[in-house]
């Protein structure tokens, strides 16, 4: 009889442990499912964000200027964007020199000068600002020499 009571107590304790393990397992399953749902939502948001970044400006509701598609100051597109037919990029002159005279620094400076020339030519506000700056500078120099 004592053995039976001892075995019954052991079975009771084992059943208690099994119930506790089953309860923990169901809690962990619920937590895992919640984490999986959260992961799926985050992954869907990530995909949407990437797709919105990849979309072209037309698909996002913005319009682009075909003339300025690659670079705002594209030297090759200067004629297309309203430049005069007499415009000749300085960088072309430097690239046509013999290879010994084609120093990289000269080509980079010529590209910068070409970009500034195009910016001044295609942007009236920039052209006005540059003109006013030059006028004020000349007036300052002339007045400082006179006075």
């Amino acid at each position: 009889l004592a053995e039976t009571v001892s075995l019954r107590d052991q079975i009771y304790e084992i059943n208690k442990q099994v119930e506790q393990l089953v309860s923990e397992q169901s809690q962990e399953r619920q937590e895992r499912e919640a984490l999986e749902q959260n992961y799926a939502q985050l992954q869907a948001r990530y995909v949407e964000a990437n797709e919105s970044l990849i979309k072209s400006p037309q698909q996002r509701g913005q319009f682009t200027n075909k003339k300025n598609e690659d670079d705002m100051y594209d030297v090759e597109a200067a004629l297309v964007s309203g430049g005069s037919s007499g415009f000749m990029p300085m960088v072309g002159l430097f690239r046509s020199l013999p290879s010994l005279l084609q120093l990289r620094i000269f080509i980079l400076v010529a590209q910068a000068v070409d970009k500034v020339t195009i910016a001044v030519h295609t942007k009236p506000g920039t052209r006005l600002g540059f003109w006013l700056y030059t006028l004020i500078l000349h007036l300052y120099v002339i007045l400082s020499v006179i006075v």
Side-chain angles (χ1 to χ4, degrees), residues 25 57 64 106 117 121 146:
Q25 183 182 19
T64 62
F106 290 151
T117 302
H121 183 74
I146 293 174

Side-chain angles (χ1 to χ4, degrees), residues 13 16 18 24 30 36 51 79 87 115 126-127 136:
E13 289 296 322
K16 226 174 163 182
V18 167
E24 287 176 7
Q30 289 173 352
E36 286 175 351
E51 287 174 356
L79 293 174
F87 176 76
K115 286 183 180 184
T126 306
R127 187 172 37 236
I136 291 170

Side-chain angles (χ1 to χ4, degrees), residues 43-130:
Q43 191 173 19
R45 276 202 241 155
Y46 175 75
V47 168
E48 288 175 13
N50 278 341
E51 287 174 356
S52 69
L53 289 175
I54 292 173
K55 284 182 180 177
S56 69
Q58 289 90 357
Q59 291 172 332
R60 284 185 271 173
Q62 300 173 352
F63 297 98
T64 62
N65 185 350
K66 187 67 175 167
K67 297 177 223 171
N68 297 331
E69 191 173 64
D70 299 326
D71 186 7
M72 192 170 196
Y73 306 109
D74 187 9
V75 175
E76 285 78 18
L79 293 174
V80 176
S81 64
S84 67
S85 60
F87 176 76
M88 184 173 181
M90 278 181 45
V91 73
L93 295 173
F94 281 104
R95 287 182 177 155
S96 66
L97 293 174
S99 61
L100 292 176
L101 299 176
Q102 289 184 6
L103 297 176
R104 179 144 175 84
I105 187 73
F106 290 151
I107 291 176
L108 291 174
V109 168
Q111 285 175 337
V113 169
D114 288 340
K115 286 183 180 184
V116 169
T117 302
I118 291 169
V120 169
H121 183 74
T122 59
K123 305 233 180 265
T126 306
R127 187 172 37 236
L128 177 65
F130 182 73

